[in-house]
């Protein structure tokens, strides 16, 4: 399967839909199938060529396109362009953001590594046993009716005082904030008339007060109308809209460094980076062939994982904009991703009913776009559920446990 994926990624086919139709006719295949769009038609041609079909029609492919000779060139001389890596020049604002992100992530990485050096085998084992005992005693404490329509997403944030706050976003377009100590609803806001698809609490969001509790900070929501929004936790009032995606938005996530930057996953096959202070779109990142459903930040704040319907999560260095790897392994769409607090494990959840664990330390060198990821980077394939796995989360203190959630109505805990 890996060899086939590598062959598919290296197979050159025409880019224009008209040329794709001509090529399909030349090898005796239907030029279109029922319900097939340009992208699916091009993927079908790529698979046929990879299996051995030969293009007999004269069409321009990605590898054979050439520019027309200039007037002062010799007649009939062709200038072969071939494959060329190109970059879109970023803005000065993006440059400053990347510098700030680099400085913050280096400080966080140094702190994480210093803490790891202080760990002993006994302390690690003791922490694992504590987590295991807590997991063994896990039981449902309460159940609350959150909305009249399905709850699409939720975000949990533990406050410095030890209390916890939960934000829920529903298909009815409502955003609600809850204090978990007594399941009290702190406020409800009608965000939009369309479905909400994601929600995330700012790292500094907290709950104040005892008798009359109120939430403080910022909460972000995403919706099927293609707009991300920032709200005040106190009253749910709108702070800023972040329009830009040309399709619906999936999940979104604040950068863990200081919460200034927000990443959004879009069904326009892009993920985007926003400055929450100004509302400016800093980065529009392409690279996926189909819809991007979710994004996850590394704990240091420098790396980001984007995943979606093309089955291959991608790992990005946001400081440079470079794609470090495409993680091939899932056979269906990927719906969830999370980094472990240890800094080197990544979990992905897919519609193939599995959760896969990756070790990003084994990506010794950046993998070129389209090339398969070394199989050593994948540690485990967990046959987690009987239906699609919609999300996965590491235990936040040590990462020694992993939770998976699926459409079979079960949440499961796994030892890592």
């Amino acid at each position: 399967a890996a060899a086939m994926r590598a062959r598919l990624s290296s197979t050159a086919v025409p880019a224009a839909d008209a040329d794709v139709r001509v090529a399909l006719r030349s090898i005796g295949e239907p030029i279109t199938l029922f319900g097939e769009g340009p992208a699916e038609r091009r993927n079908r041609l790529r698979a046929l060529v990879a299996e051995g079909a030969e293009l007999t029609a004269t069409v321009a492919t990605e590898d054979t396109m050439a520019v027309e000779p200039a007037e002062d060139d010799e007649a009939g001389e062709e200038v072969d362009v071939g494959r060329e890596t190109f970059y879109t020049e970023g803005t000065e604002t993006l440059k400053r953001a990347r510098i700030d992100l680099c400085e913050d992530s280096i400080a966080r990485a140094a702190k994480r590594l210093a803490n790891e050096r202080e760990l002993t085998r006994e302390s690690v084992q003791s922490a694992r046993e504590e987590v295991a005992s807590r997991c063994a005693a896990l039981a449902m404490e309460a159940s609350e009716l959150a909305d009249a329509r399905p709850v699409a997403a939720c975000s949990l944030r533990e406050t410095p005082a030890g209390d916890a706050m939960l934000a829920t976003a529903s298909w009815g377009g409502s955003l609600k904030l809850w204090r978990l100590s007594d399941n009290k609803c702190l406020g409800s806001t009608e965000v939009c008339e369309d479905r909400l698809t994601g929600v995330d609490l700012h790292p500094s969001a907290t709950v104040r007060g005892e008798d009359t509790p109120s939430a403080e900070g910022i909460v972000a929501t995403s919706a099927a109308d293609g707009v991300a929004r920032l709200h005040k936790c106190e009253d749910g009032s709108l702070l800023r809209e972040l329009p830009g995606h040309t399709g619906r938005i999936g999940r979104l996530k604040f950068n863990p460094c200081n919460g200034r930057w927000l990443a959004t996953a879009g069904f326009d096959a892009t993920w985007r980076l926003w400055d929450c202070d100004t509302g400016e779109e800093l980065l529009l990142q392409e690279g996926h062939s189909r819809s991007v459903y979710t994004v996850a930040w590394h704990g240091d704040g420098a790396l980001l994982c984007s995943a979606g319907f093309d089955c291959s999560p991608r790992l990005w260095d946001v400081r440079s904009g470079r794609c470090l790897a495409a993680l091939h392994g899932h056979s269906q769409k990927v719906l969830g991703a999370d980094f472990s607090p240890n800094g080197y494990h990544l979990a992905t959840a897919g519609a193939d009913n599995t959760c896969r664990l990756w070790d990003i330390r084994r990506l010794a060198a950046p993998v070129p776009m389209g090339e398969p990821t070394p199989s050593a980077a994948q540690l485990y394939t967990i046959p987690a559920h009987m239906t699609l796995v919609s999300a996965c989360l590491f235990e936040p203190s040590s990462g020694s446990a992993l939770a998976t959630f699926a459409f079979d109505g079960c949440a499961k805990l796994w030892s890592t």
Side-chain angles (χ1 to χ4, degrees), residues 153-159 163-168 178-181 199-203 205 253 393 396:
C154 60
S155 176
L156 177 68
R157 189 70 63 193
E158 188 172 359
T159 66
D163 205 346
M165 180 169 60
L166 179 73
T168 59
W178 308 78
R179 187 176 67 174
L180 295 188
S181 59
V199 63
D200 193 40
L201 285 163
H202 192 276
K253 202 75 175 176
L393 288 173

Side-chain angles (χ1 to χ4, degrees), residues 9 83 85 314 322-328 363 365-374:
S9 63
R83 291 196 175 190
T85 303
R314 291 187 177 272
R322 185 181 182 89
C323 180
L324 300 180
L327 306 176
H328 300 300
L363 299 173
V367 180
M369 294 279 281
E371 295 296 323
T373 305

Side-chain angles (χ1 to χ4, degrees), residues 25 56 60 63-64 73 93 136 152 155 189 203 229 236 239 247 277 300 318 330 359 386:
R25 180 178 282 115
T56 58
D63 286 346
T64 59
D73 290 340
T93 309
S155 176
T189 303
R229 296 172 175 86
L239 285 175
D277 292 342
D300 298 340
V318 185
H330 284 282
D359 190 342
M386 298 300 293

Side-chain angles (χ1 to χ4, degrees), residues 150-344:
V151 177
C154 60
S155 176
L156 177 68
R157 189 70 63 193
E158 188 172 359
T159 66
D163 205 346
M165 180 169 60
L166 179 73
T168 59
S170 77
W171 280 10
S174 63
L175 165 69
K176 293 184 180 181
L177 298 177
W178 308 78
R179 187 176 67 174
L180 295 188
S181 59
D182 54 4
N183 297 331
K184 181 179 178 62
C185 182
L186 304 178
S188 176
T189 303
E190 295 299 322
V191 176
C192 63
E193 296 181 356
D194 216 328
R195 292 176 299 164
L196 294 184
T197 55
V199 63
D200 193 40
L201 285 163
H202 192 276
S204 64
T206 186
V207 178
R208 303 290 186 186
E210 293 294 334
D211 299 330
T212 57
S214 63
E216 292 186 0
I218 300 174
V219 58
T221 60
S222 56
D225 61 3
V227 179
R229 296 172 175 86
L230 302 178
H231 309 264
K232 288 184 179 179
C233 288
E234 291 86 341
D235 54 8
S237 59
L238 181 65
L239 285 175
R240 183 171 286 112
E241 289 188 344
L242 306 175
H245 283 282
T246 57
R248 62 169 279 197
I249 302 178
R251 306 304 191 195
L252 75 173
K253 202 75 175 176
F254 283 107
N255 181 276
C257 287
N258 54 22
R260 179 181 174 184
W261 301 288
L262 178 72
T264 57
F267 276 50
D268 53 4
T270 69
W271 67 267
R272 307 191 186 210
L273 187 67
W274 308 83
D275 188 328
C276 295
D277 292 342
T278 64
E280 180 182 355
E281 181 187 292
L282 299 176
L283 176 66
L284 185 159
Q285 183 62 64
E286 298 176 322
H288 288 270
S289 60
R290 299 185 66 186
S291 302
V292 185
Y293 185 79
T294 189
V295 288
W297 286 99
H298 188 277
D300 298 340
L303 305 181
L304 180 138
C305 176
S306 60
F309 291 3
D310 60 0
C311 312
S312 299
R314 291 187 177 272
L315 191 63
W316 306 86
D317 185 345
V318 185
R319 297 166 297 186
S320 63
R322 185 181 182 89
C323 180
L324 300 180
L327 306 176
H328 300 300
H330 284 282
S331 60
Q332 294 192 44
K333 62 185 70 171
V334 181
L335 305 175
D338 192 36
F339 283 97
S340 172
N342 62 25
Y344 50 84

